[in-house]
Amino acid sequence: MSVTPRQTGTVLDEIIAGVLTDLRERQELVEEASLREAVELIDPPLDPQRALRAEGLSVIAEVKRASPSKGHLAEIPDPAVLARQYEAGGATAISVLTEQRRFHGSLADLDAVRKDVSVPVLRKDFVVTEYQVLEARAHGADLVLLIVAALDDPELETLYRLTRRLGMTALVEVHTPEEARRAAGLGASVVGVNARNLKTLEVDPGNFSALVSQLPDQAVKIAESGILTVDDAVAAHRAGADAILVGEALVRSGDPAAFISAIREATAS
């Protein structure tokens, strides 16, 4: 599978350029045919949607060592240990960052987490090729992140359909009204609104509230980024979020299980 070169300009463009460089190295080691064989042998993916739609606010808890905006966040020598703490606290799903350069993640982290938890697992990365979707499934992911800002309409459609064919759930991420319309046109059943503009890394805490009415009525609605306290989580829930995706606050909390439990208790119906 060939990879289309992309011009750089924004932070998102620069991240994707690095992702594609690292991807080419993995493609030299593992042929796509081998991934497809692995997909056929692995257990079927878990469906997270019923749990994400449950009463109260669901939490997608993220294994996150670093970020382009904040730099180093936490060491996380064993991501499985952290993921088990998340699950013990009541996390509905675990998000594992697998991007290497800016987030210091890896597919090995995904493998470790998938092996040790029973809840659905999201591969969180800058997915722009079919190969990456196949990688996600071959390594046990139940969900894959598709960032609308990183994809044109044909790419988004292709990756979304492949994700569905493999039995996985696509978390389709948007940041603007135009991106929300594209997600709706795709028929996305799980949509995340990122408060962080990935092109500039600026955060708008009100972005979820501004866009939630433009998301498909039947979609699971997820608030992403900028949620640092229990009060932030409660505000997202009151604005219409079915779930939140939280990383930084959890890895810095000292007691992530208690943090998740507090969020769940504060938003219980």
Side-chain angles (χ1 to χ4, degrees), residues 6 28 47 66 69 86 95 121 131 163 170 208 224 245 263:
R6 294 168 185 259
E28 291 177 359
D47 185 351
S69 61
Y86 288 166
S95 170
V121 175
Y131 186 95
T163 301
F208 180 85
E224 304 175 25
L245 194 155
I263 290 172

Side-chain angles (χ1 to χ4, degrees), residues 7-256:
Q7 296 189 357
T8 60
T10 68
V11 174
L12 178 60
D13 294 329
E14 293 170 0
I15 292 173
I16 291 174
V19 165
L20 291 175
T21 297
D22 296 336
L23 171 62
R24 284 190 286 271
E25 294 178 1
R26 297 199 304 277
Q27 287 175 311
E28 291 177 359
L29 296 173
V30 181
E31 294 182 353
E32 184 175 318
S34 297
L35 287 179
R36 292 186 180 275
E37 291 175 5
V39 166
E40 293 298 321
L41 297 174
I42 200 168
D43 291 338
L46 303 174
D47 185 351
Q49 293 194 51
R50 177 176 294 182
L52 289 172
R53 296 178 189 275
E55 288 188 15
L57 185 68
S58 296
V59 177
I60 302 175
E62 190 156 84
V63 176
K64 184 176 186 178
R65 292 188 177 89
S67 75
S69 61
K70 298 293 183 68
H72 175 78
L73 297 174
E75 291 295 336
I76 315 182
D78 188 343
V81 170
L82 179 60
R84 288 196 298 270
Q85 292 175 339
Y86 288 166
E87 186 174 24
T92 301
I94 311 296
S95 170
V96 182
L97 273 154
T98 59
E99 196 276 337
Q100 302 175 64
R101 295 170 181 245
R102 305 294 186 97
F103 294 89
H104 303 170
S106 69
L107 287 167
D109 290 345
L110 181 60
D111 292 335
V113 171
R114 174 67 288 164
K115 181 180 177 181
D116 271 30
V117 300
S118 60
V119 296
V121 175
L122 163 70
R123 181 192 183 179
K124 186 116 179 288
D125 209 320
F126 298 80
V127 174
V128 292
T129 69
E130 293 180 63
Y131 186 95
Q132 292 166 284
V133 177
L134 291 167
E135 271 186 329
R137 182 79 283 268
H139 286 265
D142 307 291
L143 303 97
V144 65
L145 180 71
L146 299 180
I147 302 171
V148 174
L151 303 162
D152 62 27
D153 283 338
E155 290 169 334
L156 182 59
E157 177 80 17
T158 295
L159 298 182
Y160 182 78
R161 298 308 169 198
L162 176 58
T163 301
R164 295 289 301 274
R165 285 200 303 274
L166 294 175
M168 290 189 293
T169 300
L171 168 50
V172 180
E173 180 180 290
V174 305
H175 179 74
T176 67
E178 189 270 337
E179 291 172 11
R181 288 192 293 272
R182 291 175 62 197
L186 190 67
S189 59
V190 179
V191 182
V193 175
N194 199 340
R196 188 179 304 280
N197 182 339
L198 293 177
K199 297 180 180 180
T200 65
L201 300 185
E202 295 177 352
V203 174
D204 177 1
N207 203 39
F208 180 85
S209 297
L211 293 185
V212 65
S213 65
Q214 301 180 48
L215 305 182
D217 289 341
Q218 299 305 312
V220 174
K221 301 170 182 65
I222 301 175
E224 304 175 25
S225 297
I227 297 171
L228 301 176
T229 67
V230 173
D231 286 345
D232 292 336
V234 170
H237 186 48
R238 288 175 177 167
D242 300 301
I244 54 173
L245 194 155
V246 186
E248 176 186 343
L250 290 176
V251 301
R252 287 180 161 177
S253 70
D255 191 344

